[in-house]
Amino acid sequence: QVQLVESGGGLVQPGGSLRLSCAASGFIFGVYAMAWHRQAPGKERELVATITTEGSPNYADSVKGRFTISRDNSKNTVDLQMNSLKPEDTAVYYCRRIARRDYWGQGTQVTVSS
C-alpha cells in the first residue's frame, strides 16, 4: 500500500536549520511529482514546495531562498532542507504524492521558537 512517512521535525531556534525527510513506499516513486505542505494552528494548509520527477523545484514565495526540496529516486525519498528558520515557519509539515489520487504522510512537527 502507498505509504509516506515524514521525519526530521523538532524544536529549533530562529535562524536555525532542519532537514525533513519523506520516505515513500508502495508505488513507483520516480514517476510522480512530490510536494511538501505545512499547516500552522488556525491556518489553512499551505503548499511549501514541489518537485518534478526530474528534480525541478518550485517554492512558495515565503520560503524562497531559505528552503530546498530534493529527491532521490533510487532511495524513494524527498527531502526539505530548511535554513534561516523563522517563528512563522512553525507548522506540521506533510509530504504529498501528486497523483490522480493524492496520498499524504502523517506529518512531522516543526517548532521554531526562542
Side-chain angles (χ1 to χ4, degrees), residues 2 11 16 25 29 36 39 43-44 47 49 54 67 72-73 79 83 85 104-107:
V2 173
L11 174 64
S25 61
F29 178 78
W36 282 96
Q39 187 167 26
K43 295 186 178 180
E44 296 182 338
L47 177 65
E54 300 297 324
F67 290 11
D72 188 334
N73 289 344
D79 290 0
N83 299 325
L85 284 162
W104 298 76
Q106 84 290 341

Side-chain angles (χ1 to χ4, degrees), residues 50-69:
T50 63
I51 187 165
T52 70
T53 59
E54 300 297 324
S56 181
N58 280 283
Y59 302 96
D61 288 342
S62 60
V63 307
K64 284 181 180 177
R66 300 188 299 120
F67 290 11
T68 302
I69 188 172

Side-chain angles (χ1 to χ4, degrees), residues 11-87:
L11 174 64
V12 297
Q13 293 185 336
S17 297
L18 282 174
R19 188 176 184 91
L20 308 183
S21 184
C22 173
S25 61
F27 63 98
I28 304 174
F29 178 78
V31 304
Y32 291 96
M34 300 292 294
W36 282 96
H37 295 248
R38 66 187 182 187
Q39 187 167 26
K43 295 186 178 180
E44 296 182 338
R45 187 169 293 187
E46 172 190 19
L47 177 65
V48 174
T50 63
I51 187 165
T52 70
T53 59
E54 300 297 324
S56 181
N58 280 283
Y59 302 96
D61 288 342
S62 60
V63 307
K64 284 181 180 177
R66 300 188 299 120
F67 290 11
T68 302
I69 188 172
S70 62
R71 68 189 296 160
D72 188 334
N73 289 344
S74 69
K75 297 180 179 179
N76 288 7
T77 58
V78 56
D79 290 0
L80 187 69
Q81 177 65 46
M82 305 185 295
N83 299 325
S84 302
L85 284 162
K86 306 174 181 179

